[in-house]
């Protein structure tokens, strides 16, 4: 089984940049998208053989998550039960026989860190939500976490300490989430790998020089890690300032 996650930075724009070709070529069983920025009637994409679950933000043209899955889930839940974040369409949970899948778009603290307090509340609420699911069956979480966890996950670590996405607070919360019983699948199988990024600034030449950040992840319950047979970063795939990532499961 193949799962893919991608912050498309606007689904309508990404569709114009080759999304459908990538979707068809990869033929994944489940595809999770973040920052969709669209209502259902605003895009024309209904792939045959997939169930579709969209959670748009109430604010037009903002945030939102979307999942395409070949496998019909047992249940679907939109949000994590917190109005501030649920009205931004940040989380969709699908329940399958052997695991829960959570599509996640973590709030950005913004350049001047003005949303740090809200981000910290989200982190606590999200961890509590995941721990409740984890008591029932293993969890797979994917999406844009808006944080580079370690210095290996960012090109210019020293210059970025304290900047949005690389503050002590954000990195510590990510560590706490992992310590609660989850594993970063890519890092588990690529312990020393550097220069593996999933986001690049739109500034000219930055992506070509691979001056990037790894802020998109697949996390899984510790008891599920040996079900993961492969991890992928599709760094050559354009269409967004993020690239897609993926995992394969037994």
């Amino acid at each position: 089984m193949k799962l893919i996650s991608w912050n498309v930075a606007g689904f309508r724009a990404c569709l114009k940049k080759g999304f459908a070709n990538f979707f068809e070529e990869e033929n994944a069983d489940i595809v999770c998208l973040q920052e969709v920025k669209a209502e259902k009637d605003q895009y024309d994409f209904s792939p045959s053989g997939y169930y579709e679950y969209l959670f748009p933000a109430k604010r037009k043209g903002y945030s939102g998550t979307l999942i395409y899955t070949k496998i019909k889930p047992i249940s679907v839940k939109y949000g994590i039960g917190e109005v501030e974040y649920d009205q931004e369409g940040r989380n969709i949970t699908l329940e399958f026989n052997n695991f829960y899948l959570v599509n996640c778009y973590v709030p950005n603290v913004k350049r001047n860190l003005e949303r740090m307090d809200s981000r910290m509340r989200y982190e606590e609420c999200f961890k509590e939500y995941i721990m409740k699911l984890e008591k029932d069956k293993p969890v797979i979480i994917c999406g844009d976490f808006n944080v580079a966890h370690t210095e290996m996950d960012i090109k210019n670590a020293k210059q970025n300490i304290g900047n949005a996405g690389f503050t002590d607070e954000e990195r510590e919360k990510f560590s706490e989430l992992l310590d609660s019983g989850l594993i970063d699948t890519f890092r588990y199988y690529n312990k020393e790998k550097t220069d593996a990024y999933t986001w690049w600034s739109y500034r000219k030449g930055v992506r070509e020089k691979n001056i990037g950040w790894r802020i998109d992840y697949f996390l899984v319950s510790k008891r599920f890690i040996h079900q993961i047979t492969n991890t992928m970063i599709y760094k050559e795939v354009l269409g967004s300032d993020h690239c897609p990532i993926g995992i394969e499961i037994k």
Side-chain angles (χ1 to χ4, degrees):
M1 177 188 283
K2 184 192 293 185
L3 282 67
I4 286 175
S5 174
W6 193 3
N7 179 324
V8 291
F11 193 31
R12 289 168 288 178
C14 197
L15 280 167
K16 295 175 182 176
K17 298 173 183 175
F19 175 88
N21 291 335
F22 171 75
F23 189 97
E24 184 177 348
E25 286 168 8
E26 286 303 311
N27 191 31
D29 297 280
I30 304 174
V31 177
C32 296
L33 307 180
Q34 306 89 40
E35 208 173 352
V36 176
K37 298 182 179 179
E39 305 276 348
K40 177 57 183 168
D41 61 0
Q42 292 182 303
Y43 60 87
D44 181 17
F45 187 73
S46 299
S48 177
Y50 286 85
Y51 298 93
E52 178 179 356
Y53 301 98
L54 172 68
F55 190 28
K58 287 194 172 179
R59 177 177 153 194
K60 301 290 186 184
Y62 178 73
S63 190
T65 45
L66 172 61
I67 302 179
Y68 291 102
T69 173
K70 291 180 180 179
I71 308 143
K72 187 175 184 180
I74 296 168
S75 67
V76 182
K77 179 178 172 61
Y78 298 98
I80 58 173
E82 296 291 332
V83 173
E84 177 184 355
Y85 314 112
D86 293 352
Q87 68 184 1
E88 295 176 342
R90 292 191 175 274
N91 299 96
I92 306 173
T93 303
L94 302 187
E95 179 186 1
F96 297 101
N97 289 332
N98 299 321
F99 60 86
Y100 287 100
L101 172 67
V102 184
N103 187 9
C104 177
Y105 179 38
V106 175
N108 190 312
V109 296
K110 300 189 177 179
R111 186 178 294 272
N112 61 2
L113 310 186
E114 67 185 60
R115 203 177 179 183
M116 180 65 80
D117 289 345
S118 174
R119 164 72 173 264
M120 295 297 102
R121 286 196 303 275
Y122 173 88
E123 298 275 8
E124 288 297 328
C125 294
F126 184 69
K127 185 175 73 170
E128 183 179 338
Y129 174 75
I130 294 300
M131 291 305 96
K132 286 179 181 176
L133 295 179
E134 230 273 339
K135 288 178 181 177
D136 185 39
K137 60 182 75 173
V139 178
I140 299 173
I141 312 167
C142 67
D144 176 4
F145 284 77
N146 265 312
V147 62
H149 184 214
T150 72
E151 292 192 1
M152 283 193 293
D153 300 311
I154 184 170
K155 185 65 173 181
N156 296 315
K158 296 293 187 289
Q159 296 96 310
N160 279 290
I161 290 173
N163 289 341
F166 203 58
T167 62
D168 290 343
E169 295 92 331
E170 292 166 294
R171 295 168 67 193
E172 286 167 8
K173 285 297 184 187
F174 194 83
S175 292
E176 287 176 18
L177 185 61
L178 295 180
D179 291 344
S180 69
L182 300 169
I183 291 179
D184 171 357
T185 57
F186 179 82
R187 189 54 68 201
Y188 183 86
Y189 288 109
N190 300 273
K191 288 182 171 55
E192 303 301 325
K193 189 170 179 60
T194 58
D195 298 322
Y197 307 126
T198 66
W199 176 84
W200 302 262
S201 165
Y202 277 129
R203 291 197 305 273
K204 187 175 181 180
V206 168
R207 189 159 183 171
E208 289 77 5
K209 295 174 184 174
N210 198 27
I211 304 171
W213 303 43
R214 190 171 73 95
I215 60 176
D216 302 88
Y217 302 84
F218 268 98
L219 310 181
V220 301
S221 299
K222 284 184 178 177
R223 56 191 155 137
F224 201 76
I225 187 61
H226 295 297
Q227 298 296 111
I228 309 303
T229 59
N230 193 18
T231 66
M232 301 86 78
I233 294 179
Y234 299 91
K235 65 179 182 180
E236 74 287 350
V237 176
L238 305 178
S240 165
D241 50 350
H242 296 248
C243 74
I245 60 173
I247 57 172
E248 291 179 348
I249 303 173
K250 283 183 187 175

